[in-house]
Amino acid sequence: MDMASHPLPSGTRAYGPAQRARWTALAAEAAEANAFYAPDMLCAALDHLAGTPGVRIIEAQAGGELIGLLPVTVAARHGRLPLSCVTNWMHEHCFFGAPLIRRGAEMAAWRGLLAQLDDAHWAAGFLYLRGLDAAGANAAALEALCVEQRRGRREVHRYDRAMLRSDLDADAYWETHVRAKKRKEIRRLQKRLADLGAVEQRLLADRAELPHWCADFLALEASGWKGREGSALACSPRDAAFFRAACAAAFDAGLLHFLRIDLDGRPIAMLANFRHGDGAFSFKIAFDEEMGRFSPGVLIELANLHAVQGDPAIGWMDSCAAPDHPMIDSLWAERRTIVQYRVALHGRGLGRVGRAASFAIANGIEAIASHMKGQG
């Protein structure tokens, strides 16, 4: 098994054209879609968000062919515990953490990725994997390999989030899964909004409009509570640059799904989605809070429902939303279970002993905390 690690020093370009081409080929054959690790978003993140701590790209190869890719970083703490560990890199705007693994090579790829971490002197403690699909190809192959290698693996946390996956058309889905009272209210709001002026729903199709759409989105998001709290993309130059770069790369690859609703030519709601494989990931939503009485967030999601269900190239969409999200959970009926795993790392000599101790301590403290919580 050939393996390669690429540390990415701060202030240098993280990849070249040849490397990006290899990643693109792997993404096209991935067993499990992840737009956040596909080159469009990953390269934009490496260019603008990969500061300190440093990010490494772990690659697994077989016969000179790239079969696995996982961005990782070393965390100084594991939750509340002062234990260092390796974790898959999930920056603030990354909502899914499954590595890119070539279809049919799932076990071999995980074997290579974990063997490289076992041998890496910089790989502290254990591997903490976040944001995986509990029913996905990555989780299944990882579990099988850990059993085969007698490697410790512990599920740390899981939750469900909304997902759109249905063979129904948009109208049938809306009528089937949304309460009649809510549907009636939305129709009323649409009529009231139309009384104010010209309402137009659009899906971005012209590359020349992309910079204007990005600027409109950044301004719209910053105009609301995210702007006031400082968490809007526009509040950070690097976050805004990441968003623009990711949108541009995805559009050029035919993978950007960008919607808006305008009132008299002014955006009142926008939604950016990124596609990968046969699915898509709902990335960010922005709406005019001064128009809140018309529920623009719900209206853009209704437009999104029609756009997704009307596109045969999109088989599903992950909401990337927090669990129990009051708005999207009421509109989308399907759920995706997201899990976190703690995976033991092996090694040699004292390094192996130290890693085993870290893994055991984390598991033991978690078990004690769970027991005490159950008694409370």
Side-chain angles (χ1 to χ4, degrees):
M1 180 69 62
D2 303 319
M3 294 169 287
S5 171
H6 301 283
L8 308 174
S10 178
T12 65
R13 190 165 183 83
Y15 56 89
Q19 193 170 14
R20 177 164 181 155
R22 293 169 64 248
W23 294 351
T24 299
L26 175 63
E29 299 295 330
E32 191 171 353
N34 184 357
F36 298 97
Y37 287 170
D40 310 317
M41 296 192 78
L42 176 61
C43 292
L46 291 173
D47 284 345
H48 300 287
L49 305 180
T52 302
V55 176
R56 292 176 182 265
I57 301 297
I58 306 298
E59 294 183 351
Q61 302 177 27
E65 180 183 56
L66 181 63
I67 61 172
L69 180 151
L70 178 64
V72 300
T73 188
V74 175
R77 299 181 62 87
H78 179 58
R80 297 180 180 179
L81 303 179
L83 295 174
S84 296
C85 65
V86 180
T87 182
N88 52 334
W89 183 47
M90 293 185 69
H91 54 81
E92 185 179 358
H93 310 297
C94 177
F95 307 118
F96 193 58
L100 294 186
I101 289 181
R102 187 173 296 276
R103 188 180 301 108
E106 293 89 344
M107 288 279 284
W110 271 120
R111 187 175 289 110
L113 296 172
L114 291 176
Q116 185 170 347
L117 290 173
D118 287 343
D119 292 340
H121 65 87
W122 50 264
F126 43 83
L127 174 61
Y128 177 41
L129 288 167
R130 301 168 291 159
L132 270 62
D133 185 341
N138 277 284
L142 177 63
E143 179 180 6
L145 183 64
C146 288
V147 171
E148 175 191 292
Q149 296 183 338
R150 297 184 180 180
R151 184 186 295 267
R153 182 189 69 101
R154 186 183 184 95
E155 182 179 306
V156 178
H157 179 63
R158 70 166 51 204
Y159 69 91
D160 291 339
R161 69 187 184 200
M163 187 176 192
L164 176 61
R165 187 197 293 270
S166 175
D167 293 330
L168 297 175
D169 64 31
D171 290 334
Y173 190 94
W174 185 252
E175 293 179 4
T176 301
H177 297 299
V178 179
R179 295 178 292 108
K181 183 178 180 180
K182 188 177 186 70
R183 298 199 309 269
K184 181 179 179 181
E185 174 64 11
I186 294 302
R187 288 193 298 269
R188 186 183 69 83
L189 294 177
Q190 288 174 318
K191 183 177 179 180
R192 287 181 56 203
L193 183 63
D195 290 339
L196 296 182
V199 178
E200 183 181 15
Q201 299 179 3
R202 287 192 289 157
L203 181 66
L204 180 64
D206 185 351
R207 179 64 165 79
E209 289 191 272
L210 178 58
H212 306 294
W213 280 52
C214 287
D216 287 345
F217 184 94
L218 292 171
L220 191 61
E221 185 189 46
S223 70
W225 66 268
K226 288 186 178 181
R228 293 189 294 274
E229 292 188 357
S231 61
L233 289 164
C235 294
S236 165
R238 66 175 197 151
D239 289 349
F242 159 71
F243 177 69
R244 293 190 186 97
C247 286
F251 186 94
D252 292 341
L255 300 176
L256 180 64
H257 192 260
F258 207 170
L259 300 96
R260 67 189 289 158
I261 297 177
D262 289 352
L263 176 63
D264 289 336
R266 177 177 64 86
I268 62 170
M270 301 184 74
L271 180 64
N273 307 314
F274 289 86
R275 295 173 50 196
H276 183 205
D278 63 348
F281 296 80
S282 190
F283 178 61
K284 297 278 185 178
I285 187 172
F287 54 86
D288 186 345
E289 293 182 2
E290 293 185 358
M291 302 292 292
R293 64 189 184 280
F294 298 101
S295 297
V298 175
L299 296 183
I300 194 73
E301 288 293 356
L302 178 55
N304 186 50
L305 174 66
H306 280 84
V308 171
Q309 296 305 96
D311 189 339
I314 303 179
W316 51 266
M317 181 173 283
D318 185 340
S319 70
C320 297
D324 302 318
H325 192 282
M327 188 264 281
I328 199 63
D329 279 12
S330 69
L331 303 180
W332 292 3
E334 295 76 44
R335 297 291 180 266
R336 188 178 211 182
T337 301
I338 302 298
V339 295
Q340 300 173 7
Y341 295 119
R342 190 182 298 124
V343 180
L345 293 181
H346 297 164
R348 296 181 179 86
L350 292 178
R352 184 184 183 104
V353 173
R355 288 173 174 175
S358 292
F359 185 73
I361 290 170
N363 291 339
I365 292 177
E366 182 180 73
I368 292 171
S370 178
H371 178 71
M372 294 179 65
K373 184 177 179 180
Q375 288 184 335

